[in-house]
Amino acid sequence: MAGSGLANRLYRGEAGLNVVGRRKVWFTVAGVLVLLALASFLIRGFNPGIEFAGGNVLRVPTSVGTLEDVEQRTNTILAEQAGEAKVVTAQEVGGGTGGAVYELKTTQLDPEQDNAARAALAQAYGINVDQISGDRVSKAWGDQVTDRALLGLLIFLAVVSIYLVLRFEWQMAVAAIASLVMNLVLTAGIYSLVGLEVTPSTVIGFLTILGFALYDVVVVFDKVQENTRGITANSNQTYGEAANLALNQSLMRSINTSVVALLPVGSILFIGAFLLGAGTLKDLGLVLFVGMAVAFLTSILLATPLLVLLKNRDPRIQAHNKRVAARRSSIARGETTGKPAPRAGEDVAEPVDGESAALAGAAPKVGARPAGKRSTGARGGRPAGGSGNRPGGAKRR
């Protein structure tokens, strides 16, 4: 039956995935991944582009041959002209009316070594030396980009913290910031382990994925706040159960948002960068794709479980959870039915589908008026005939 599929049950919040209840598993996995990322930072480090490490750029016309041949010959010439200098990355860029070129990024060369390398390349391919252009990138420029990026990150986290405290509460702000930091650490760990080149486009991508990760967390927390509003006024659910229900109810929306966001980024990365050879898109597309995928996992498996862990330290929530446990123990022993006694002449309505699954064994909220059927012919609880409290019950004409 189409309505009973997992996607439909996720959308209605009926799947019953116990994400919050298994928070120890998620915290353990997250801790192991963080240790691996930190170990990679210390052992392997990062592969900075020439914008951060300093270097030179050589641009050779594509008409001279294949990219592999140009890269190999450039490495040979650099070894002869500049000792340990080498090509760091090589890619085809440009196109259109300006024509495509091979862009070779090399380690740091002084002006004499740069001129000698360009002259040797021009002679090897039989072209004019003016057809081979070059630039020199200083390491100081990369340091400036790094400082500005760190400043922007700190400002972003501060503004986000203030917004979350004002919009929700401080526990949600702490859980959201922890999720964002975890997202950055894991994405950076993947870059370090794989040895991907870090460029200014990568830094821009890191700042971009923070906004996506924050959006996903806020969507879930908004539903958590809705489900837990006034929760201490009844003994039906613990805070963790209400938060887990909110997570299930918003999970399908998070999945849809992530898929819709990853599809265009995947197109930029795999079609634009790999198939069409637009190398300038690779750095930005790769960090966005990896970061958005990690952001979905951290917002679901880390943010809400961490929020429940923090809220369970609140004395009010602790007392509420104890009342829920005591009430359920009383129901299990048969001391109470778990349902308030109905008023005279009223029939208590059965729970709606979905509520019974989410609140199995729980009574209606304290203070909630039981829904009941009124007897035929009665109106407003008065006897039929509309006489009300008038003596004799005579009708007014």
Side-chain angles (χ1 to χ4, degrees):
M1 186 174 179
S4 61
L6 177 61
N8 289 281
R9 289 189 291 117
L10 281 175
Y11 184 79
R12 295 192 298 265
E14 300 171 359
L17 300 179
N18 190 13
V19 177
V20 173
R22 297 187 175 92
R23 55 184 177 272
K24 291 184 179 179
V25 176
W26 313 132
F27 293 159
T28 302
V29 172
V32 171
L33 293 177
V34 168
L35 290 177
L36 289 176
L38 294 178
S40 180
F41 296 161
L42 296 174
I43 297 173
R44 290 180 57 88
F46 292 96
N47 178 24
I50 65 170
E51 295 87 356
F52 297 101
N56 291 64
V57 179
L58 298 175
R59 299 182 184 87
V60 182
T62 56
S63 58
V64 300
T66 64
L67 177 61
E68 292 77 10
D69 177 68
V70 172
E71 182 179 1
Q72 182 178 2
R73 183 161 298 191
T74 303
N75 271 322
T76 303
I77 292 174
L78 290 176
E80 296 173 353
Q81 300 291 338
E84 297 181 355
K86 62 179 181 179
V87 176
V88 178
T89 61
Q91 60 185 0
E92 181 178 342
V93 298
T97 56
V101 295
Y102 296 136
E103 184 178 80
L104 308 169
K105 296 180 179 180
T106 71
T107 52
Q108 191 76 54
L109 301 173
D110 60 39
E112 294 181 358
Q113 292 171 337
D114 179 57
N115 292 332
R118 291 168 57 193
L121 275 172
Q123 183 179 2
Y125 288 111
I127 59 177
N128 195 307
V129 69
D130 294 337
Q131 293 181 262
I132 301 177
S133 60
D135 292 313
R136 188 168 185 267
V137 180
S138 172
K139 183 178 180 296
W141 185 82
D143 294 338
Q144 184 179 8
V145 171
T146 304
D147 293 340
R148 296 291 177 87
L150 291 175
L151 178 61
L153 175 61
L154 293 176
I155 294 175
F156 176 84
L157 293 178
V159 172
V160 166
S161 300
I162 295 172
Y163 167 76
L164 291 174
V165 169
L166 295 177
R167 174 64 178 83
F168 299 109
E169 51 190 341
W170 72 265
Q171 290 96 336
M172 288 187 175
V174 172
I177 295 300
S179 175
L180 295 180
V181 173
M182 176 66 71
N183 188 21
L184 288 177
V185 171
L186 294 183
T187 305
I190 292 174
Y191 260 73
S192 176
L193 283 171
V194 180
L196 300 171
E197 186 181 19
V198 179
T199 66
S201 297
T202 306
V203 176
I204 295 172
F206 269 100
L207 297 178
T208 303
I209 60 177
L210 289 176
F212 177 83
L214 177 65
Y215 169 79
D216 219 12
V217 171
V218 168
V219 167
V220 177
F221 281 1
D222 186 67
K223 189 63 179 177
V224 171
Q225 186 183 55
E226 178 183 336
N227 283 13
T228 58
R229 185 178 289 113
I231 192 172
T232 56
N234 63 72
S235 302
N236 297 333
Q237 285 180 306
T238 64
Y239 186 92
E241 291 167 346
N244 190 76
L245 177 61
L247 194 59
N248 277 262
Q249 291 171 333
S250 57
L251 184 57
M252 199 62 205
R253 178 176 179 178
S254 296
I255 293 175
N256 290 336
T257 301
S258 299
V259 170
V260 169
L262 286 172
L263 284 176
V265 175
S267 300
I268 293 175
L269 179 60
F270 295 106
I271 298 177
F274 293 132
L275 296 182
L276 301 181
T280 53
L281 300 176
K282 183 175 66 176
D283 299 335
L284 181 60
L286 191 59
V287 69
L288 288 178
F289 191 85
V290 173
M292 286 181 176
V294 174
F296 167 72
L297 296 176
T298 54
S299 64
I300 297 299
L301 302 179
L302 184 67
T304 305
L306 182 57
L307 169 65
V308 173
L309 180 66
L310 294 174
K311 290 293 291 186
N312 283 344
R313 297 176 180 270
D314 187 334
R316 291 175 58 254
I317 300 299
Q318 288 180 352
H320 167 73
N321 292 341
K322 290 179 180 179
R323 287 196 302 270
V324 174
R327 179 175 179 274
R328 290 176 180 174
S329 297
S330 178
I331 295 173
R333 292 193 301 267
E335 297 176 3
T336 179
T337 62
K339 297 181 180 180
R343 298 179 181 179
E346 291 183 335
D347 297 325
V348 180
E350 294 296 326
V352 182
D353 286 343
E355 290 182 356
S356 57
L359 307 176
K365 294 182 179 180
V366 175
R369 184 174 182 178
K373 300 178 181 178
R374 294 173 179 169
S375 55
T376 306
R379 180 173 55 190
R382 297 177 179 175
S387 60
N389 294 325
R390 298 188 186 93
K395 295 181 181 180
R396 177 178 294 179
R397 298 184 181 274

PDB file of all heavy atoms in Angstrom, residues 5 72 168 200 327 342 346 350 383:
ATOM      1  N   GLY A   5       4.314   3.147   3.015  1.00  0.00           N
ATOM      2  CA  GLY A   5       5.743   3.099   2.737  1.00  0.00           C
ATOM      3  C   GLY A   5       6.530   3.902   3.747  1.00  0.00           C
ATOM      4  O   GLY A   5       5.990   4.732   4.487  1.00  0.00           O
ATOM      5  N   GLN A  72      54.303  16.712 -17.713  1.00  0.00           N
ATOM      6  CA  GLN A  72      55.534  15.938 -17.572  1.00  0.00           C
ATOM      7  C   GLN A  72      56.750  16.734 -18.050  1.00  0.00           C
ATOM      8  O   GLN A  72      57.794  16.745 -17.399  1.00  0.00           O
ATOM      9  CB  GLN A  72      55.401  14.632 -18.357  1.00  0.00           C
ATOM     10  CG  GLN A  72      56.610  13.716 -18.236  1.00  0.00           C
ATOM     11  CD  GLN A  72      56.425  12.412 -18.999  1.00  0.00           C
ATOM     12  OE1 GLN A  72      55.403  12.212 -19.659  1.00  0.00           O
ATOM     13  NE2 GLN A  72      57.414  11.532 -18.908  1.00  0.00           N
ATOM     14  N   PHE A 168      15.138  30.523  20.397  1.00  0.00           N
ATOM     15  CA  PHE A 168      14.820  29.294  21.108  1.00  0.00           C
ATOM     16  C   PHE A 168      15.257  29.409  22.572  1.00  0.00           C
ATOM     17  O   PHE A 168      14.608  30.064  23.361  1.00  0.00           O
ATOM     18  CB  PHE A 168      15.497  28.099  20.423  1.00  0.00           C
ATOM     19  CG  PHE A 168      15.051  27.881  19.003  1.00  0.00           C
ATOM     20  CD1 PHE A 168      15.901  28.158  17.939  1.00  0.00           C
ATOM     21  CD2 PHE A 168      13.785  27.399  18.728  1.00  0.00           C
ATOM     22  CE1 PHE A 168      15.500  27.951  16.632  1.00  0.00           C
ATOM     23  CE2 PHE A 168      13.366  27.188  17.427  1.00  0.00           C
ATOM     24  CZ  PHE A 168      14.224  27.471  16.374  1.00  0.00           C
ATOM     25  N   PRO A 200      41.416  29.288  -1.919  1.00  0.00           N
ATOM     26  CA  PRO A 200      40.424  30.266  -1.453  1.00  0.00           C
ATOM     27  C   PRO A 200      38.992  29.849  -1.747  1.00  0.00           C
ATOM     28  O   PRO A 200      38.080  30.146  -0.961  1.00  0.00           O
ATOM     29  CB  PRO A 200      40.808  31.538  -2.218  1.00  0.00           C
ATOM     30  CG  PRO A 200      42.281  31.401  -2.436  1.00  0.00           C
ATOM     31  CD  PRO A 200      42.505  29.944  -2.676  1.00  0.00           C
ATOM     32  N   ARG A 327       4.426   7.269  36.634  1.00  0.00           N
ATOM     33  CA  ARG A 327       3.073   7.022  36.114  1.00  0.00           C
ATOM     34  C   ARG A 327       3.024   5.738  35.307  1.00  0.00           C
ATOM     35  O   ARG A 327       2.073   4.948  35.415  1.00  0.00           O
ATOM     36  CB  ARG A 327       2.649   8.211  35.256  1.00  0.00           C
ATOM     37  CG  ARG A 327       1.267   8.083  34.625  1.00  0.00           C
ATOM     38  CD  ARG A 327       0.908   9.371  33.902  1.00  0.00           C
ATOM     39  NE  ARG A 327      -0.390   9.239  33.273  1.00  0.00           N
ATOM     40  CZ  ARG A 327      -0.581   8.714  32.069  1.00  0.00           C
ATOM     41  NH1 ARG A 327       0.450   8.278  31.364  1.00  0.00           N
ATOM     42  NH2 ARG A 327      -1.797   8.631  31.561  1.00  0.00           N
ATOM     43  N   PRO A 342     -14.007   9.623  32.803  1.00  0.00           N
ATOM     44  CA  PRO A 342     -14.881  10.475  31.980  1.00  0.00           C
ATOM     45  C   PRO A 342     -16.000  11.081  32.815  1.00  0.00           C
ATOM     46  O   PRO A 342     -16.396  10.537  33.842  1.00  0.00           O
ATOM     47  CB  PRO A 342     -15.437   9.500  30.936  1.00  0.00           C
ATOM     48  CG  PRO A 342     -15.348   8.157  31.590  1.00  0.00           C
ATOM     49  CD  PRO A 342     -14.143   8.197  32.478  1.00  0.00           C
ATOM     50  N   GLU A 346     -20.575  11.092  29.269  1.00  0.00           N
ATOM     51  CA  GLU A 346     -19.651  11.350  28.175  1.00  0.00           C
ATOM     52  C   GLU A 346     -18.920  10.070  27.800  1.00  0.00           C
ATOM     53  O   GLU A 346     -18.600   9.249  28.668  1.00  0.00           O
ATOM     54  CB  GLU A 346     -18.628  12.424  28.541  1.00  0.00           C
ATOM     55  CG  GLU A 346     -19.211  13.823  28.674  1.00  0.00           C
ATOM     56  CD  GLU A 346     -18.150  14.848  28.953  1.00  0.00           C
ATOM     57  OE1 GLU A 346     -17.092  14.459  29.498  1.00  0.00           O
ATOM     58  OE2 GLU A 346     -18.368  16.025  28.635  1.00  0.00           O
ATOM     59  N   GLU A 350     -11.513   7.740  21.081  1.00  0.00           N
ATOM     60  CA  GLU A 350     -10.286   6.977  20.889  1.00  0.00           C
ATOM     61  C   GLU A 350      -9.224   7.869  20.268  1.00  0.00           C
ATOM     62  O   GLU A 350      -9.534   8.802  19.545  1.00  0.00           O
ATOM     63  CB  GLU A 350     -10.558   5.775  19.954  1.00  0.00           C
ATOM     64  CG  GLU A 350     -11.493   4.744  20.547  1.00  0.00           C
ATOM     65  CD  GLU A 350     -10.899   4.085  21.778  1.00  0.00           C
ATOM     66  OE1 GLU A 350      -9.676   3.905  21.806  1.00  0.00           O
ATOM     67  OE2 GLU A 350     -11.656   3.765  22.713  1.00  0.00           O
ATOM     68  N   PRO A 383     -31.144  19.452  28.829  1.00  0.00           N
ATOM     69  CA  PRO A 383     -32.103  18.407  28.425  1.00  0.00           C
ATOM     70  C   PRO A 383     -32.804  18.785  27.136  1.00  0.00           C
ATOM     71  O   PRO A 383     -32.967  19.967  26.801  1.00  0.00           O
ATOM     72  CB  PRO A 383     -33.091  18.353  29.601  1.00  0.00           C
ATOM     73  CG  PRO A 383     -32.349  18.972  30.754  1.00  0.00           C
ATOM     74  CD  PRO A 383     -31.446  19.973  30.167  1.00  0.00           C
TER      75      PRO A 383
END
